[in-house]
Amino acid sequence: MHSVAVERVVTGTEVQLMSGLEAEELTRKQGMNSRVILVGAVIVALVGGVILGRFSSGLGGGGSLADIASERGMTVEQAEGALKAFTPPGEYDEYVLVSSGGHSGQLHLVGVPSMRLLKTIPVFTPESWAGYGQGADWSQAILDEGSSNKQARELAWGDTHHPALSETEGAYDGRFVYINDRANGRIGMVDLRDFKVKQILDIPNMQTSHGGVFVTPNTEYVHVSSMTPMPQTENGYADLEDYADLYRGMSTFLASDPDTGRLDTDASFQIELPPYTQDLADAGKLESFGFAFINSYNSEMAVGGNAEGGVPIETGASQADFDYLHIIDWQKAEAVANAGGTEERNGMRVIPLETAISEGILYFAPEPRSPHGVDVDPTGNYIVIGGKLDQNATIYDIALIKEAIANEDFEGTDRYGVPILTFESVVAGQVLLGAGPLHTQFDGEGHAYTSLFLDSAIAEFTLGPKAGVPDGEAFQLVDKVSVHYNIGHLAATEGDTVAADGRYLVALNKWSVDRFPVLGTLKPQNFQLIDLTADKMAVLADMPIGFGEPHYSQIIRLDRLTSAIETYEPGTDPLTFGPPAFATAAGEERVERDGSEVHVYMTATRSHFTPDILRVREGDTVFLHVTNIEITPDATHGFAVPGYNLQASLDPGEVVTLAFEADRSGSFAFYCTEFCSALHLEMQGWLLVEP
Ligand code: CUA
């Protein structure tokens, strides 16, 4: 978006710091209503008679803002960046960045533009602040359900990579966010009412999933594709000699319940893919609605073996000049699945590769070697590919793809018989960007922004006429900005959707090297906030990320998060949002014993638990049903028992059951872990386990 951000200057009453150029621009834009007077190095902006700001470029004797900038050794640009990114205390950011947390297994919510960490949501990994996976029944149920399928044992961690916010008509609707586990081929669903995970699904017939996650434009399906292919054999084993014959990739369309967001395996289906390495994926929208796009690399099917006389995987996988963009007609696949054209495999309907080919579900288009990102622009017309080993962005046009399919304009088939569309017939343009193009985001005004991993930069280029760019200006590089260092993904405000608004871009950088003080050997990654509203992209702020390696993020406008609740209805089970049988009201607290099974119906409120003395016998099985009977927002209580590995967090209205074997006798002082009141320390009690 090429316009100066004058909106805040003219509407705000706050003091603004401006460079001379911006002041001039402001004067031009505001016409008769504003004057900018340049007095020496001091700029005084008058808009409608309101003095907005003064700046003295370090000469002293200017306004206090200039003094502060000067005292802190800031340049004009840095001071401007600080003001653009600053969100005053007590005010809200306009956007929330929903970030993967890498192998911390969590999700993180960050305010944009302030880049303040707002919240961490545990998904795949136990986390004690939220009382997640520390004995509370609802969270344990989710973690247990999510490690039901794989041959591995109970899974205690995940590698979150690609969040996908739910959409209605191609725009975020603020209802759910899905997040994959790259390590174990799972997906989690977080309900954006209470921002807690409600489901982890262990996806059958695939093992890992990298970036193949998206929702279709009305969240009809949540898509997850495999990264490394997996043997489609009874026992999940096949020697690598049989790679081409027995290993297969999977494109998984998980049906999402429109009311609960839960994924329903029975209504879902998979499409079998050749054993290439399927990578990033995106959903078609508007003009390309009904299609899905998946990048692949390693069409060479290299399996490594560098200690067995073979070549390393990275060499073997980078031989061919072209890999294959997978083009999937998911509406056709849905029809084939519903007509019974599937075979059942581990509880999932699978469309075999041969069927996908014969039914016209799967086509390939050549894409320059080792592609990574595939991103559909907000109009749905263009599909942008970044090739790790190619310096161009390659832009495909969905109309050309549809035409080539209709005309059977194929340059051949791959070894499995998948038709390959003629490259020249489906490509609208290429733009030379620089080294290592990966992922692309959009501003909704015909501009695309691609991360350059090797250059540590972001390149901005124009799309074509169908995105509103005049013919002569189409497919041209227009700007570049340096980032520090090794950018992977980038996220623009609502940049994945039809509502991309071109306000901010966040670079998700892998290395920070000398960017931050040396605080040990493990260094943070670095988010960088970039302003898209000025003529040239500019880095405004750094945000070191000290909690696992974020991969992808999406940025949603705060005002779309309308389903968020502040407190539960009294007596709510967070897993179902319904009242559990063991919800306890004030005055109904009790202990019920049935043989060696003890049920405690307990309430928590400031500043006591009732009952506060629990008497059980060694060997009893104890069910502690704790209800937080508070109705005040933020009146959260914790419940922790020393030595028993039990910790729950109870938000107002929430009911949690902690079940445990009283297998250690002793006197245990349980307590509330949240600093909830002046008498928080007194909010404790005794668990007496009689020998
Ligand atoms: Cu309740 Cu501290």
Side-chain angles (χ1 to χ4, degrees):
M1 187 202 281
H2 279 207
S3 63
V4 168
V6 293
E7 221 169 292
R8 285 186 58 202
V9 177
V10 285
T11 57
T13 52
E14 83 263 49
V15 175
Q16 278 280 348
L17 193 58
M18 292 184 293
S19 69
L21 266 178
E22 276 193 343
E24 280 168 28
E25 181 81 5
L26 176 68
T27 313
R28 196 172 56 71
K29 297 226 168 197
Q30 296 300 312
M32 298 301 288
N33 291 328
S34 62
R35 290 179 294 140
V36 172
I37 305 164
L38 299 159
V39 186
V42 181
I43 300 160
V44 180
L46 299 168
V47 177
V50 178
I51 296 176
L52 290 174
R54 300 192 286 170
F55 181 75
S56 162
S57 57
L59 297 177
S64 61
L65 283 174
D67 292 342
I68 295 166
S70 169
E71 277 164 23
R72 299 205 63 209
M74 284 186 193
T75 64
V76 174
E77 289 73 24
Q78 286 169 338
E80 284 174 344
L83 281 181
K84 285 179 177 169
F86 184 66
T87 301
E91 292 190 18
Y92 297 165
D93 283 301
E94 274 180 84
Y95 300 91
V96 176
L97 176 133
V98 179
S99 177
S100 60
H103 36 299
S104 74
Q106 302 165 335
L107 272 176
H108 303 285
L109 306 181
V110 175
V112 173
S114 73
M115 305 309 283
R116 296 178 296 190
L117 176 64
L118 299 173
K119 183 163 183 161
T120 292
I121 304 170
V123 181
F124 296 106
T125 307
E127 201 275 339
S128 43
W129 168 60
Y132 186 72
Q134 309 282 347
D137 58 339
W138 69 272
S139 59
Q140 202 56 53
I142 292 166
L143 288 167
D144 289 348
E145 182 193 12
S147 59
S148 56
N149 260 332
K150 295 287 186 284
Q151 294 150 322
R153 290 172 190 82
E154 203 168 289
L155 299 168
W157 74 290
D159 187 2
T160 57
H161 265 236
H162 281 248
L165 286 155
S166 60
E167 296 181 9
T168 299
E169 293 180 2
Y172 297 142
D173 58 20
R175 301 192 62 210
F176 312 105
V177 60
Y178 298 90
I179 178 77
N180 72 318
D181 169 10
R182 184 250 189 270
N184 306 297
R186 298 181 294 170
I187 186 138
M189 184 272 288
V190 172
D191 192 315
L192 297 182
R193 281 178 287 177
D194 61 356
F195 288 71
K196 289 179 186 169
V197 62
K198 303 296 173 204
Q199 182 186 22
I200 296 175
L201 180 70
D202 197 345
I203 305 167
N205 308 319
M206 49 177 274
Q207 200 169 61
T208 63
S209 74
H210 180 228
V213 181
F214 60 74
V215 298
T216 54
N218 296 297
T219 322
E220 296 94 341
Y221 293 100
V222 179
H223 178 269
V224 188
S225 45
S226 59
M227 186 183 177
T228 38
M230 182 181 169
Q232 297 299 308
T233 56
E234 198 90 330
N235 58 7
Y237 173 82
D239 195 90
L240 291 167
E241 282 178 7
D242 299 319
Y243 192 84
D245 294 329
L246 297 180
Y247 284 65
R248 290 290 179 267
M250 284 292 170
S251 162
T252 309
F253 286 82
L254 298 164
S256 163
D257 183 303
D259 294 324
T260 64
R262 280 186 69 89
L263 301 170
D264 175 5
T265 313
D266 291 342
S268 305
F269 59 88
Q270 287 180 313
I271 304 163
E272 201 179 55
L273 302 173
Y276 311 140
T277 303
Q278 280 80 24
D279 203 7
L280 275 294
D282 202 3
K285 49 176 159 297
L286 300 175
E287 293 302 317
S288 49
F289 180 87
F291 284 89
F293 306 94
I294 312 175
N295 268 345
S296 70
Y297 64 92
N298 196 13
S299 51
E300 300 87 346
M301 296 187 280
V303 296
N306 55 4
E308 299 178 10
V311 294
I313 291 183
E314 81 265 27
T315 311
S318 309
Q319 299 301 307
D321 286 333
F322 287 95
D323 290 288
Y324 301 123
L325 170 65
H326 294 35
I327 300 158
I328 290 173
D329 185 333
W330 62 260
Q331 289 176 302
K332 214 176 253 185
E334 181 185 59
V336 166
N338 291 340
T342 56
E343 53 187 59
E344 194 269 334
R345 231 179 267 177
N346 299 311
M348 178 68 83
R349 297 183 296 166
V350 179
I351 299 174
L353 180 56
E354 311 80 68
T355 308
I357 297 167
S358 64
E359 294 288 338
I361 291 168
L362 177 65
Y363 293 91
F364 286 164
E367 46 186 0
R369 56 201 303 219
S370 294
H372 196 53
V374 51
D375 296 284
V376 178
D377 92 302
T379 71
N381 282 292
Y382 298 114
I383 302 112
V384 180
I385 304 288
K388 288 173 288 192
L389 302 179
D390 184 87
Q391 304 223 339
N392 292 289
T394 304
I395 301 106
Y396 299 73
D397 182 330
I398 188 62
L400 298 177
I401 289 174
K402 287 178 184 172
E403 198 181 316
I405 291 174
N407 296 339
E408 300 191 356
D409 182 357
F410 306 140
E411 55 179 62
T413 61
D414 79 336
R415 66 176 279 171
Y416 300 95
V418 182
I420 303 166
L421 306 175
T422 307
F423 183 71
E424 290 73 21
S425 301
V426 294
V427 170
Q430 284 191 302
V431 188
L432 186 64
L433 299 180
L438 296 184
H439 305 284
T440 300
Q441 286 278 283
F442 305 94
D443 65 1
E445 296 190 2
H447 289 235
Y449 303 83
T450 299
S451 55
L452 302 175
F453 178 79
L454 296 174
D455 278 355
S456 287
I458 293 169
E460 176 184 357
F461 65 95
T462 53
L463 294 165
K466 291 175 181 176
V469 179
D471 253 330
E473 295 169 24
F475 305 123
Q476 286 175 16
L477 177 69
V478 292
D479 192 16
K480 255 186 180 182
V481 66
S482 289
V483 294
H484 304 265
Y485 301 93
N486 296 7
I487 180 173
H489 276 281
L490 71 181
T493 41
E494 308 225 312
D496 273 338
T497 72
V498 298
D501 64 11
R503 294 282 305 284
Y504 300 101
L505 189 63
V506 173
L508 284 65
N509 307 330
K510 301 298 179 193
W511 284 30
S512 59
V513 204
D514 53 5
R515 201 75 177 168
F516 304 112
V518 176
L519 299 170
T521 48
L522 179 61
K523 297 192 184 304
Q525 283 87 35
N526 189 13
F527 283 174
Q528 288 188 301
L529 178 72
I530 292 162
D531 182 17
L532 291 186
T533 60
D535 282 342
K536 284 190 71 63
M537 290 184 282
V539 173
L540 301 180
D542 276 7
M543 179 194 178
I545 310 296
F547 42 69
E549 186 198 352
H551 281 262
Y552 189 46
S553 302
Q554 291 184 323
I555 305 175
I556 182 173
R557 256 181 21 222
L558 179 67
D559 63 16
R560 292 192 194 274
L561 294 169
T562 52
S563 56
I565 58 167
E566 264 202 295
T567 58
Y568 291 112
E569 294 294 317
T572 297
D573 176 355
L575 189 55
T576 62
F577 276 99
F582 35 80
T584 309
E588 292 177 2
E589 299 91 348
R590 63 201 183 275
V591 179
E592 291 173 0
R593 174 178 282 279
D594 179 9
S596 63
E597 207 170 271
V598 181
H599 287 263
V600 179
Y601 297 83
M602 177 186 273
T603 59
T605 190
R606 282 164 287 175
S607 298
H608 53 268
F609 298 102
T610 308
D612 58 6
I613 298 176
L614 306 177
R615 298 174 190 278
V616 301
R617 295 176 210 123
E618 189 175 349
D620 282 347
T621 302
V622 183
F623 296 87
L624 270 178
H625 310 294
V626 191
T627 301
N628 180 343
I629 55 173
E630 302 264 8
I631 51 171
T632 310
D634 215 6
T636 294
H637 297 289
F639 182 92
V641 183
Y644 265 94
N645 212 28
L646 294 170
Q647 149 62 5
S649 174
L650 296 124
D651 300 335
E654 184 173 345
V655 185
V656 159
T657 295
L658 295 153
F660 62 97
E661 300 294 319
D663 54 4
R664 296 178 57 213
S665 62
S667 301
F668 303 94
F670 62 78
Y671 75 105
C672 166
T673 41
E674 284 280 329
F675 200 151
C676 57
S677 67
L679 297 176
H680 153 71
L681 286 179
E682 286 77 1
M683 191 164 175
Q684 60 166 341
W686 292 99
L687 168 67
L688 301 174
V689 183
E690 188 187 330

